Amino acid sequence: MEMPVDGAPAARRAARWSDPAAWPDGRVPRAGDAVTIARDVDMTLDVSPPALRSLTVQGALRFADDRDLNLTTEWIYVAGGELEIGTEARPYTHNATITLTDEVKGEDINTMGDRGIILLRGTLSLHGNRSHSWSKLAVTAAAGATAIEVLDASGWHVGDEIVLASTDFDPRQAERRTITAVRGNTLHFAEPLEYMHFGEITFGVDERGEVANLTRNIRIQASEDASESHFGGHIMAMAGSRLFVDGVELNRMGQHLTLARYPIHWHLLGEGQGQYVRNSSIHDTFNRCVTVHGTNNLRVENNVTYNTVGHCFFMEDGIETGNAFIRNVAIQTKCHPTLDCVPTNLAANGERDASFADAAAYRQASFHGGNTLLPSDNTVASFWITNPDNSYIDNVAAGSDQVGFWFSIPEHPNGAFLDTEISRNTWPRRTPLRAFRGNVAHSNFDGFLIDRHIDHDNTFGLASIPLLPLTDPTDLESEVMETHFENLTAYKNRNGGLWGRGDLYVYSNLKLADNAIGMTQAAGDIGSLPFSSRLVDSLVVGETANIGNPRTAEERAYGRSLPKPAIPDFPIRGYEYYDYRDDVVNTTFVNFQDNDRRKTGALSFLLFTSAGLSTGSTISGAQFVNAKPVYFPAFDARFDNDNRGGNAYRTLSFRDLDGSVTGIPGSQILLHDGENDSVATDDTCDIRPTWNAAVCTGDIGRLNLSDARGELPAAVDLESRTARFALLASLGPNAPDTPLVRAQRTALFSRRAPQAPISLVRGGREFRVSGDQSTVRAGTEIQVKTERPQVTLSLAEMDEGSWVLFELPGFTNAASGTEQGSMDALRAANATSYFRDGDTLWVKLVADAPLLPVIRPTDLQASITVSR
């Protein structure tokens, strides 16, 4: 369709739809007509016309506000014109409904598809008179109830359709009802509730369920056949267009498995300052909710969504900045209209789909099975965030099949911008976070996810190059900036309340409750920064008064729903220490007590990680209320999601700086489960059997028993961020084919042949060592028993001058160090040394000063190779 590029005429003549004289042929449009509003016409729709073939608006079409109106058509093309139902200054007061039909299949209106309201240099102004989108329960609503009390029911009426969000682990416990009476803030309805919906602030955590109103006086919808075809309507604003949507209901919108056909879609507008969608409801959709694509500085505020498919609030390519998402609520976000998700996530083995034992086949089904628009939609998120330079404030992800808020950041903007110059010069993963505060995630699998960043093909790995804001995003070696996440709440998530990957992340005033796992943070820069994460001034609750809706036999016997009903004895834990260095500061833990159903602990570790841990992780200012402070579960394959055959978890340790966990300031808490006890423990340690832990004092660091550094081979280059990120990139399925990435991959996977085992003997007790690494305490003497012809001993993460003495029967040669003439001389040595005593070699490792201000677990402070 051709459209003049010049603007509208200086003046348009006023006309009324019902007036035959308003039309070129002297008759009012009839059923099946293709209608055009000419550029010089300002048309008022004052009647409900019969169903049209199509409607093209080159001039202006405004709905009269003196009666209820209905407009039915295959599509509306706003080509340089205006479609108006109310204005910001004068919202529409009657009922207006636009219904999009699909009698003529497969049309493509100016490349913008079919069954839509499509704008090219056009303006869509829809302003209804309903602004109160959602409230919360004031009291708990029992199963079987036919009335609920909300905090604020102002402006809600009989006949309105409401939806109560799930307040349990299952997002599908959301329930829709029609109001039959309103008495103050009490809403009545005819059909009793099937589920309990919680409505209290419990143990300091606000778990009052959201209640959203889906009814608006302006409705845009597809006809009912869309419920079967999943081919709904869409609103698309292209270049030069302006979109102002306020107080509108969108129903049966979005076209399943079709790119660019979404309920609300800004498409490559560039600057969007002043445009918005707010106070609206978007429900029963088949392809997303609000899509922002190549458009900046929009406002998406106070909207509610329910029963939607695919990433809901969707930032498409990672080029979009300055957009504000404020006080939106997403309820029941699904991967597919009818099928279950096939997610790529870190689920416990015991809850995985047994039909997908083949990891490659599972990945193929998840990413390329053809049932979702993008590969990532099988791990669907209510809020899909691809560039941190946007604001997310006071939003609620109230029940996604998979993820609530997902930061999935591309290295460079992709999609329409892939391989463009602007994309190559834009670095979303190195860009500071604008604002992320006050958000709530509940009734999801994972509440907040800051990891698994997408590649150019929209697939992702379980680990990825992190979001790591830099002072100069173009310079990977520039200084890292702190990232602050404030006032987040996550509850009733079936897996994690929060999973993050990165460094210098500060989480303040978090409230985590009723999750399988409260929080886990993975390092991004392989332990090279002062800390990975810092949890500050927060509250973590194991189980609250919200018992959910028990359904399985185990849950009914337990008296409350469980996060992982397939493995009901899964040990819930509040905070998991993981990759390298994490700090917990001034945080309170409540209600972590063992019972007959499952074990628990406020502090724990990622089960059962193969990746690096650090003796440098800390806690201080902790408080425990009815809470067992620590629990390190014994290995159970059902609970595992991160082992991959490694044993790094056996070196787990963290330091109690002020004694608020153990009562012993400066103590180290180590794994001690009877099978994986540490050689650092002895009779001076306090053994805590219910924790599976030992509490020891002194300088405790890392011992490596091979030529590796921790779990990383010595040949891996860790001396620059460029090299470290190349190492991380080498792990992904879409690793760049560069010399550095190839070298790092070769170094990482060039494993030597299996070696004879090593045992460490101290105080007459033999300690099992797996994976060639162990925690070790300064000032101790240890015998090394092995049949290996050669052993490398190294220390890391220790104070300068700390030492450990080793006896190696059967060894006689040392490749470095200073030879001493007696045991007394060796004991007095203040540098790494050795002493030959017949067929036994004695070695004293003395830790040098750290190479960097931060002692990385991979930095060897003392090392010696000995042979027979």
Side-chain angles (χ1 to χ4, degrees):
M1 292 185 178
E2 296 296 330
M3 189 184 85
V5 297
D6 54 328
R12 292 184 176 127
R13 62 180 177 88
R16 300 184 74 82
W17 191 289
S18 62
D19 182 4
W23 302 99
D25 57 1
R27 68 173 177 84
V28 176
R30 301 171 184 172
D33 281 355
V35 176
T36 296
I37 309 297
R39 295 175 62 242
D40 62 347
V41 174
D42 192 325
M43 179 72 70
T44 297
L45 183 71
D46 59 342
V47 294
S48 296
L52 304 175
R53 169 71 176 82
S54 64
L55 175 60
T56 299
V57 182
Q58 295 174 339
L61 177 64
R62 310 178 199 279
F63 279 45
D65 196 6
D66 58 1
R67 68 197 71 187
D68 294 346
L69 292 171
N70 295 286
L71 175 62
T72 299
T73 180
E74 292 278 293
W75 44 263
I76 301 174
Y77 179 35
V78 185
E82 304 171 52
L83 175 58
E84 176 189 292
I85 309 177
T87 67
E88 186 172 16
R90 299 186 63 181
Y92 198 75
T93 60
H94 287 79
N95 294 317
T97 301
I98 296 176
T99 301
L100 300 167
T101 55
D102 190 35
E103 299 298 326
V104 182
K105 309 293 184 184
E107 296 184 274
D108 189 10
I109 313 308
N110 209 2
T111 74
M112 289 184 277
D114 195 5
R115 203 177 205 175
I117 301 176
I118 50 184
L119 290 78
L120 181 61
R121 295 198 298 277
T123 298
L124 181 64
S125 178
L126 306 176
H127 292 84
N129 64 355
R130 307 287 291 271
S131 61
H132 182 29
S133 293
W134 61 280
S135 186
K136 290 185 174 185
L137 289 170
V139 295
T140 295
T146 56
I148 59 172
E149 183 180 346
V150 298
L151 297 177
D152 180 8
S154 59
W156 293 6
H157 308 300
V158 171
D160 285 356
E161 193 171 53
I162 58 171
V163 60
L164 289 77
S166 170
T167 54
D168 202 354
F169 296 112
D170 182 0
R172 303 301 179 91
Q173 290 181 15
E175 299 189 76
R176 178 167 23 195
R177 295 292 184 270
T178 299
I179 298 175
T180 57
V182 180
R183 296 184 177 90
N185 288 326
T186 299
L187 308 175
H188 296 260
F189 37 83
E191 183 184 355
L193 294 175
E194 183 177 354
Y195 301 104
M196 179 275 290
H197 295 263
F198 196 71
E200 300 175 25
I201 298 173
T202 174
F203 292 95
V205 182
D206 189 347
E207 296 193 12
R208 294 174 295 185
E210 296 77 21
V211 181
N213 192 319
L214 302 180
T215 300
R216 303 292 186 273
N217 69 316
I218 299 176
R219 171 180 283 203
I220 312 296
Q221 63 182 13
S223 50
E224 291 185 3
D225 58 282
S227 296
E228 299 298 325
S229 67
H230 305 148
F231 185 81
H234 73 108
I235 298 174
M236 183 177 187
M238 288 189 67
S241 297
R242 298 188 303 161
L243 196 61
F244 308 96
V245 176
D246 188 339
V248 175
E249 179 181 349
L250 300 171
N251 181 29
R252 296 190 293 267
M253 300 289 282
Q255 297 170 3
H256 187 47
L257 299 179
T258 307
L259 283 169
R261 305 294 179 256
Y262 314 121
I264 294 279
H265 179 198
W266 280 277
H267 183 76
L268 302 176
L269 266 64
E271 180 54 59
Q273 181 71 46
Q275 299 185 50
Y276 50 78
V277 55
R278 62 195 186 197
N279 305 323
S280 296
S281 80
I282 305 171
H283 61 90
D284 302 291
T285 72
F286 313 113
N287 195 7
R288 315 213 182 289
C289 305
V290 176
T291 293
V292 180
H293 187 197
T295 307
N296 306 325
N297 301 315
L298 301 167
R299 195 167 184 91
V300 181
E301 182 174 10
N302 199 38
N303 304 288
V304 295
T305 71
Y306 167 64
N307 194 35
T308 63
V309 172
H311 301 314
C312 181
F313 292 97
F314 182 72
M315 301 287 277
E316 187 152 343
D317 285 347
I319 196 77
E320 303 82 11
T321 63
N323 300 288
F325 291 77
I326 300 172
R327 207 174 180 273
N328 302 286
V329 177
I331 300 173
Q332 195 170 291
T333 305
K334 305 186 297 187
C335 296
H336 187 276
T338 59
L339 302 178
D340 292 335
C341 299
V342 185
T344 299
N345 57 26
L346 277 178
N349 291 333
E351 61 182 339
R352 291 189 179 277
D353 188 337
S355 64
F356 284 106
D358 184 331
Y362 185 92
R363 178 182 173 85
Q364 179 67 23
S366 179
F367 286 161
H368 306 298
N371 293 322
T372 57
L373 183 64
L374 297 179
S376 59
D377 282 308
N378 245 329
T379 314
V380 70
S382 292
F383 293 82
W384 169 263
I385 304 167
T386 55
N387 191 308
D389 190 17
N390 295 280
S391 299
Y392 291 82
I393 300 169
D394 297 337
N395 301 285
V396 184
S400 168
D401 280 355
Q402 283 298 306
V403 182
F405 296 83
W406 186 357
F407 285 83
S408 189
I409 314 292
E411 181 178 24
H412 298 287
N414 55 21
F417 297 88
L418 186 65
D419 293 330
T420 63
E421 182 177 1
I422 190 174
S423 177
R424 289 190 291 270
N425 293 323
T426 303
W427 300 85
R429 288 183 196 165
R430 306 178 189 178
T431 298
L433 179 64
R434 182 171 291 211
F436 195 81
R437 64 177 183 269
N439 299 299
V440 177
H442 69 86
S443 308
N444 311 288
F445 185 78
D446 283 305
F448 296 95
L449 178 60
I450 311 165
D451 195 6
R452 301 170 209 165
H453 302 301
I454 51 169
D455 290 325
H456 60 84
D457 63 353
N458 286 294
T459 64
F460 57 92
L462 289 175
S464 53
I465 303 293
L467 167 63
L468 196 72
L470 303 176
T471 53
D472 179 2
T474 67
D475 180 6
L476 188 53
E477 301 300 330
S478 63
E479 184 179 355
V480 179
M481 304 171 65
E482 284 192 359
T483 300
H484 288 259
F485 301 90
E486 304 168 289
N487 304 314
L488 310 182
T489 298
Y491 70 89
K492 287 290 183 183
N493 295 291
R494 303 187 299 283
N495 193 57
L498 186 150
W499 171 284
R501 181 181 298 276
D503 293 286
L504 303 189
Y505 289 5
V506 180
Y507 301 98
S508 57
N509 194 31
L510 264 65
K511 289 182 171 61
L512 309 171
D514 290 316
N515 305 294
I517 304 156
M519 172 183 167
T520 315
Q521 176 81 12
D525 200 14
I526 313 184
S528 296
L529 289 161
F531 62 88
S532 295
S533 70
R534 185 161 287 155
L535 179 64
V536 182
D537 299 331
S538 294
L539 172 65
V540 186
V541 184
E543 291 178 335
T544 68
N546 181 0
I547 66 170
N549 295 282
R551 291 183 290 186
T552 69
E554 292 87 354
E555 289 176 330
R556 288 193 294 270
Y558 188 49
R560 62 186 300 127
S561 59
L562 291 161
K564 299 184 182 297
I567 37 176
D569 53 339
F570 183 86
I572 66 169
R573 284 149 301 118
Y575 182 91
E576 288 187 331
Y577 285 98
Y578 179 35
D579 261 351
Y580 304 120
R581 189 169 295 103
D582 296 288
D583 302 322
V584 178
V585 183
N586 297 338
T587 292
T588 298
F589 297 87
V590 180
N591 293 351
F592 289 93
Q593 289 290 353
D594 295 346
N595 56 41
D596 292 342
R597 167 49 58 200
R598 50 71 197 137
K599 297 290 184 66
T600 185
L603 305 169
S604 192
F605 70 104
L606 177 65
L607 310 181
F608 291 91
T609 177
S610 299
L613 291 154
S614 172
T615 61
S617 291
T618 70
I619 188 167
S620 60
Q623 296 185 53
F624 300 92
V625 179
N626 189 39
K628 186 173 72 174
V630 177
Y631 178 55
F632 297 147
F635 185 86
D636 188 322
R638 297 174 303 142
F639 304 154
D640 172 45
N641 65 17
D642 191 54
N643 185 253
R644 306 187 304 278
N647 300 289
Y649 77 91
R650 290 171 176 161
T651 62
L652 64 90
S653 171
F654 61 92
R655 186 172 295 277
D656 180 7
L657 295 178
D658 60 356
S660 57
V661 178
T662 64
I664 305 171
S667 60
Q668 201 83 16
I669 301 169
L670 308 172
L671 178 64
H672 190 92
D673 61 1
E675 182 179 1
N676 302 295
D677 300 351
S678 171
V679 73
T681 61
D682 58 21
D683 291 343
T684 67
C685 298
D686 183 3
I687 307 302
R688 310 279 175 100
T690 62
W691 298 10
N692 279 349
V695 179
C696 304
T697 56
D699 181 19
I700 294 176
R702 186 79 45 183
L703 169 67
N704 296 316
L705 292 155
S706 70
D707 59 354
R709 293 170 288 180
E711 77 278 12
L712 298 173
V716 171
D717 182 358
L718 299 174
E719 302 317 308
S720 69
R721 189 171 297 125
T722 299
R724 294 191 294 272
F725 276 35
L727 173 65
L728 295 173
S730 74
L731 300 173
N734 293 311
D737 188 21
T738 67
L740 182 56
V741 167
R742 288 196 299 271
Q744 292 287 66
R745 185 189 297 113
T746 299
L748 182 63
F749 292 107
S750 296
R751 307 290 188 184
R752 59 184 181 172
Q755 302 290 297
I758 291 180
S759 294
L760 303 177
V761 181
R762 178 168 173 240
R765 182 180 174 191
E766 188 168 320
F767 294 86
R768 168 187 174 187
V769 175
S770 300
D772 287 350
Q773 52 185 317
S774 172
T775 45
V776 67
R777 183 152 46 148
T780 58
E781 298 187 12
I782 300 169
Q783 184 185 68
V784 180
K785 294 174 61 176
T786 183
E787 298 298 320
R788 296 183 186 182
Q790 178 177 294
V791 174
T792 298
L793 303 169
S794 306
L795 296 181
E797 290 195 303
M798 302 197 80
D799 297 336
E800 181 181 3
S802 288
W803 58 269
V804 182
L805 192 67
F806 298 93
E807 176 190 4
L808 295 110
F811 288 80
T812 57
N813 300 306
S816 61
T818 301
E819 184 172 8
Q820 303 292 341
S822 67
M823 281 300 298
D824 287 343
L826 182 67
R827 294 184 189 281
N830 56 14
T832 295
S833 303
Y834 62 91
F835 166 64
R836 293 189 185 91
D837 184 14
D839 61 354
T840 296
L841 194 69
W842 292 81
V843 169
K844 184 179 184 181
L845 288 181
V846 182
D848 293 331
L851 302 174
L852 299 171
V854 177
I855 306 178
R856 301 183 298 184
T858 54
D859 286 340
L860 304 183
Q861 295 172 270
S863 186
I864 193 169
T865 298
V866 299
S867 57
R868 295 184 181 279

